[in-house]
Amino acid sequence: MNCGRLFLVGHRGFVQGLALHGHSRLPFVVRECSVQTRLLRYQARYHENFFARLRKGIQKHTAGISRACARQVEYVMALRIRRTQQAGIFYFQLCGGAFLQQIMIRIFSRFLSRLRVSLLHRSHNLLLSASVLPFFCWEDERIPDEYLLKFSNELEAVACLREHTCQNASVPCKPNGKKSPMLSCPSHFHNDRIEDPWELFIQQGSLLVWRREVPNHRGEGLFEYKVYGAYDDITARDFLAVHVDTVFRREWDSSAVVLDVLEREPQSNSEVVYWEMQWPRMMSNRDYVYKRRYIIDEEQKVIVFVNQNTEHQSAPVKPGKQRVTEYWSIIVIKPLSDLDKPGLEFSMTYFDNPGLVFPSAFASWATATGFPDYLSKLHMATVKFAERRVKEEAEAEARKAAEAAEAAEAAAREEKRRRGEEDKKKLSSPHPDPPKTWEVFFGGGPVLSSVANDFPDPKDRLNYLLNKLMLLGT
């Protein structure tokens, strides 16, 4: 920069000299320019020498600078480790080992969760975030038994809503913009919100749908829905299996672009699922990461199936997908007679925040057309699943029967082969020594009994006796 400034100064002086003094003072101007040029060369050489010395100095003292930085880092880290160790010993003596272990696990989990959230917002750190995210902890994330059992009497509350619906709605209700009857049932969820009664939304045959606003989303057009339905041609276990079987759902649900189980805990019937849902072309697809669990109460003959949104290290936020962070559903299935016999009624209560506010009329129309279509597909899928299950069971029984018949035939062949070998041995083996006296021979006893056993045919027995007599020389 100084060299450039000197060059500009020299050039400006040369031009000004020519303008003031003309060509008569040209030697003086040339002399001044030469002086400026020498100064410029001196400054250039000075800066070149300075940068060369600086580069040589850095190269010469690189090892010393690195050692000094390393010592500083080691000193700071040693101080922090020592303070952490002292704090750990103090709290261990104060609270005990188990309590301190729980505290450390919670602190470490919270730190890693915050780190995960911060990394998920940066698309260029997706690979790094996937490598440092904590493992999914079932002890903290598992849906508890008490929460599931709380909904075992859900269909009683739905029966209350159905009774109010039949009393207050004389004609089937459709989402046509008119105000529907507001219904309240205090027994719902055992602690229902009386201030937010249910509104009858759809009534088509045995299908009933109610809705109500969510407290933290009032005025946004977001509702939680409660669905009631009944079928007399499918079983409760098959209906549950269709909800749980992710591979089969990709066959009958075209909106499921991706549906994979990320992690399982078989002993508690718990899973973590990633689900990408197809949306219209002009909108981004919605994806979900949720945990689910179900219980089958054999005594009360009821099935409770719960889904809740969660986070998992195997499914970070993807660019181009809208992650749904508010989602839950409770499905209660109760058979009319038995879990394995056709006939059931079910209730499904759920809430889903897609992250986009629609006009109320459009949202009502989409929900009103989507619910019956989805339940119809679900019913037909359950029927197909039951037929496939019956066919597979029949094929399995046929395979078992064929294997049993083949095993019996093989056993019969082996027995026949063994008897043939024994007969050959008897015919090829020499006969026993003849009795020494006639009394022993004609007296029967072991001789005649052995003869009778060896030769059941009377002709063979007579020939044998004649041969024995000839051997005795009579």
Side-chain angles (χ1 to χ4, degrees), residues 107-283:
I107 293 175
F108 188 67
S109 300
R110 185 172 299 179
F111 168 74
L112 291 179
S113 63
R114 291 182 179 179
L115 180 62
R116 174 175 54 186
V117 171
S118 63
L119 291 176
L120 288 178
H121 290 290
R122 298 176 174 87
S123 59
H124 62 276
N125 285 336
L126 286 178
L127 182 61
L128 179 61
S129 64
S131 63
V132 302
L133 288 178
F135 291 102
F136 189 83
C137 182
W138 282 111
E139 294 297 329
D140 299 332
E141 297 290 341
R142 185 190 306 112
I143 301 174
D145 296 341
E146 297 79 10
Y147 185 80
L148 291 166
L149 295 175
K150 182 174 67 173
F151 304 107
S152 58
N153 298 325
E154 171 65 12
L155 285 169
E156 297 179 2
V158 175
C160 175
L161 288 177
R162 291 174 58 201
E163 182 179 358
H164 284 73
T165 301
C166 296
Q167 292 177 357
N168 298 330
S170 58
V171 295
C173 175
K174 295 182 179 180
N176 52 9
K178 298 181 181 180
K179 193 67 175 178
S180 301
M182 306 300 289
L183 313 173
S184 178
C185 185
S187 62
H188 169 63
F189 283 15
H190 308 286
N191 55 353
D192 199 16
R193 305 193 306 269
I194 306 299
E195 67 277 6
D196 295 321
W198 291 97
E199 174 188 0
L200 181 60
F201 185 58
I202 301 174
Q203 183 178 1
Q204 294 182 4
S206 61
L207 174 63
L208 293 171
V209 181
W210 301 271
R211 71 177 183 180
R212 66 178 178 181
E213 282 190 319
V214 182
N216 55 343
H217 294 285
R218 296 186 187 277
E220 299 179 8
L222 296 176
F223 299 88
E224 58 177 304
Y225 296 89
K226 181 180 293 295
V227 184
Y228 171 81
Y231 302 111
D232 57 358
D233 57 344
I234 57 177
T235 66
R237 292 189 187 274
D238 291 338
F239 196 60
L240 172 65
V242 171
H243 282 89
V244 175
D245 194 340
T246 56
V247 177
F248 182 64
R249 178 164 182 173
R250 288 196 293 267
E251 298 180 9
W252 62 268
D253 189 1
S254 59
S255 64
V257 180
V258 179
L259 190 62
D260 297 324
V261 177
L262 303 178
E263 192 169 342
R264 284 188 175 93
E265 191 185 39
Q267 60 269 23
S268 64
N269 296 325
S270 300
E271 293 177 338
V272 180
V273 181
Y274 173 77
W275 173 31
E276 180 182 345
M277 184 179 181
Q278 180 70 43
W279 272 54
R281 291 187 176 181
M282 301 302 295
M283 301 180 183

